[in-house]
Amino acid sequence: MAALLLLALGAGVAWSGHVYGVGSLTRMGAGYFPMLLGLLSIGVGLLLGLGTLARRAPGPAPRDPRLQRRHGADPRGAALLLLAIGSFIVLGRYGGMVPATFACVFLAALADRGNRLRDALLLAAAASALGYLVFGLGLQLQFNPFQWG
């Protein structure tokens, strides 16, 4: 299902990018990056689908408890993921890119019951620092790293 979703989403985004005009590599149009991202999504969807088909070999189910699926939804994980998205929106507006990224990654990491608090903190700190270096300094994205209000 994930592969089909990526294929459909990628096709829609690529078509939308094509409608806006792609241009050329030296004179990129408004649809260049959406079309490129759509084509990349299609490629990832194809790889995911082919990988899934290749792994469907008959045989017994894995006995490793970490590989077995749990039945039923995990409301804690779903709530933390929704809270992570909401925290990025609110903190991005009122706190800046670095606190928003930290809170989002931290809460999303805690959604996995296998992660420890220390690991989630380290991951959030690393993602915030890398995000600031790439988007703030490297690409000079107009998103204040820290702001109040």
Side-chain angles (χ1 to χ4, degrees), residues 9 14-16 27 31 44 60-61 64 67 72 87 97 99 115 117 122 127 132 135 138 141-142 145:
L9 183 68
W15 179 256
S16 295
R27 296 187 56 97
V44 170
D64 187 357
L67 300 177
S87 71
M97 179 180 63
N115 285 337
L117 183 63
L122 289 174
Y132 174 70
F135 296 107
L141 186 70
Q142 298 301 314

Side-chain angles (χ1 to χ4, degrees), residues 1-3 45-57:
M1 290 304 290
L46 286 172
L47 288 174
L48 183 64
L50 292 173
T52 302
L53 291 175
R55 278 183 288 194
R56 289 194 179 227

Side-chain angles (χ1 to χ4, degrees), residues 1-90:
M1 290 304 290
L4 291 175
L5 181 64
L6 274 172
L7 286 171
L9 183 68
V13 170
W15 179 256
S16 295
H18 174 70
V19 169
Y20 285 111
V22 177
S24 67
L25 189 57
T26 56
R27 296 187 56 97
M28 296 177 199
Y32 186 84
F33 280 111
M35 185 163 176
L36 181 66
L37 291 176
L39 292 174
L40 284 172
S41 293
I42 290 171
V44 170
L46 286 172
L47 288 174
L48 183 64
L50 292 173
T52 302
L53 291 175
R55 278 183 288 194
R56 289 194 179 227
R63 292 289 178 202
D64 187 357
R66 293 174 296 169
L67 300 177
Q68 292 179 353
R69 294 174 116 183
R70 288 189 304 192
H71 298 287
D74 182 14
R76 176 186 167 272
L80 281 169
L81 287 176
L82 289 174
L83 190 60
I85 295 168
S87 71
F88 187 83
I89 294 169
V90 172

